[in-house]
Amino acid sequence: ASLYPLKIQAMFTQVFSVMAIASSQYYITEINSRLQMINQNLDKILEFLYGDKKAELLSEVSFIKYAYENYASATIGSIQNAKIVAMKDIEFYMHDLETTVNDKANVEELVTNSFRIKESLELSIQLYGMSSVLEAYYSENQDKEYIAFIEREVTTYIDKCEKRMLSSFSTLRKYINDYKGRLLEKIDKTQYEKSVGEVIDSLNNGEESDIRKSLRKTLHAVTTMKEFYISKEGDVYLKVV
């Protein structure tokens, strides 16, 4: 009889542990659905990845996908390593983009190369964001100051990346506008101007980007109170506002 309360306590500890994991999976799955680049299948990703970083980035994307699909099966050290790789790849592709848009190449080639780099860059940024979120969840540290630090770190870095991308595509737009083509060459720049303009508008609309909003919301979920409902049949539901 003296062990009975401990048994009840142990049972409820296990239940709440499972419920915590389940709620974490919900929020992680939700943000993953918003990260379109990282959410693509690997064959699609392979279509635009290039260069020395290709295998490295693909490997870490595969690992992060495994980590959120099999929550609690990975280690925080591996997730932190994926974050480091993502940051290195962001700087690699960012430098490549900045170099490319300043290259005096054929306008069609220049736009094609710039958008290919942009896709690799966005994938790297989303890998960085997702690994940062997973790091916070796997740490099981719900201290508000710690979560606030992670949030500031992630959103500030992504904001800087977006501003650098904006600068690069603004340079590209100027080059397209000024491009006269070779002697006797006829070229329609309308589609290039439209595509580049859409990127610039998305980065320069004065609002926080969707990826930063999603990351902020998911990180806030770590420290918010959760409400669970248990049916008569024993099914457990998480209340989501």
Side-chain angles (χ1 to χ4, degrees):
S2 62
L3 295 177
Y4 186 72
L6 294 178
K7 185 176 179 181
I8 292 293
Q9 185 180 28
M11 182 185 72
F12 274 96
T13 299
Q14 184 179 14
V15 168
F16 286 120
S17 177
V18 170
M19 290 163 74
I21 290 173
S23 62
S24 297
Q25 284 179 315
Y26 168 81
Y27 289 110
I28 291 170
T29 301
E30 184 183 34
I31 190 174
N32 174 65
S33 67
R34 298 174 182 270
L35 304 181
Q36 296 178 354
M37 297 301 293
I38 202 173
N39 199 33
Q40 297 179 103
N41 62 53
L42 297 184
D43 288 340
K44 188 69 176 177
I45 292 173
L46 277 171
E47 290 179 9
F48 62 81
L49 281 184
Y50 68 94
D52 297 337
K53 300 295 182 182
K54 181 175 181 177
E56 176 184 68
L57 186 54
L58 190 65
S59 174
E60 295 303 335
V61 167
S62 298
F63 166 72
I64 287 299
K65 284 188 173 188
Y66 169 83
Y68 75 72
E69 288 172 357
N70 300 275
Y71 191 78
S73 297
T75 64
I76 191 169
S78 299
I79 291 168
Q80 289 170 334
N81 182 68
K83 181 178 176 180
I84 292 170
V85 169
M87 294 183 75
K88 288 195 303 181
D89 290 350
I90 287 170
E91 294 305 319
F92 171 82
Y93 288 120
M94 194 68 74
H95 178 266
D96 209 10
L97 179 62
E98 291 166 348
T99 301
T100 297
V101 298
N102 285 289
D103 184 20
K104 306 306 179 184
N106 171 275
V107 68
E108 180 180 1
E109 179 184 349
L110 192 61
V111 172
T112 299
N113 290 340
S114 297
F115 272 86
R116 187 179 186 186
I117 297 168
K118 173 180 171 287
E119 289 184 307
S120 298
L121 181 54
E122 287 178 338
L123 178 67
S124 302
I125 291 172
Q126 291 185 11
L127 175 63
Y128 166 74
M130 190 65 172
S131 56
S132 298
V133 167
L134 285 172
E135 179 185 11
Y137 275 81
Y138 269 76
S139 72
E140 298 183 351
N141 185 348
Q142 297 185 4
D143 180 74
K144 290 187 177 181
E145 290 186 6
Y146 166 74
I147 299 300
F149 169 79
I150 295 291
E151 181 188 332
R152 284 195 306 272
E153 179 186 56
V154 173
T155 55
T156 300
Y157 184 60
I158 293 179
D159 179 57
K160 288 180 180 178
C161 291
E162 290 171 347
K163 287 178 179 175
R164 290 172 69 184
M165 288 175 66
L166 174 61
S167 176
S168 291
F169 273 88
S170 296
T171 300
L172 179 59
R173 179 165 65 179
K174 184 178 185 307
Y175 181 78
I176 294 171
N177 290 340
D178 296 342
Y179 186 77
K180 303 301 181 184
R182 301 182 184 90
L183 185 64
L184 302 179
E185 179 186 18
K186 292 183 178 180
I187 182 169
D188 182 5
K189 301 186 292 183
T190 306
Q191 185 56 49
Y192 304 138
E193 291 169 340
K194 179 182 177 183
S195 299
V196 172
E198 287 173 350
V199 173
I200 291 173
D201 290 343
S202 69
L203 294 168
N204 196 32
N205 61 11
E207 296 182 3
E208 188 175 45
S209 65
D210 288 340
I211 182 174
R212 280 186 284 150
K213 288 179 183 176
S214 298
L215 290 168
R216 191 187 300 280
K217 178 181 177 182
T218 308
L219 286 168
H220 277 172
V222 175
T223 57
T224 55
M225 187 74 71
K226 311 292 188 307
E227 271 190 63
F228 296 93
Y229 292 84
I230 304 176
S231 69
K232 292 179 180 179
E233 293 74 24
D235 297 319
V236 181
Y237 297 88
L238 169 66
K239 181 181 180 180
V240 179
V241 179

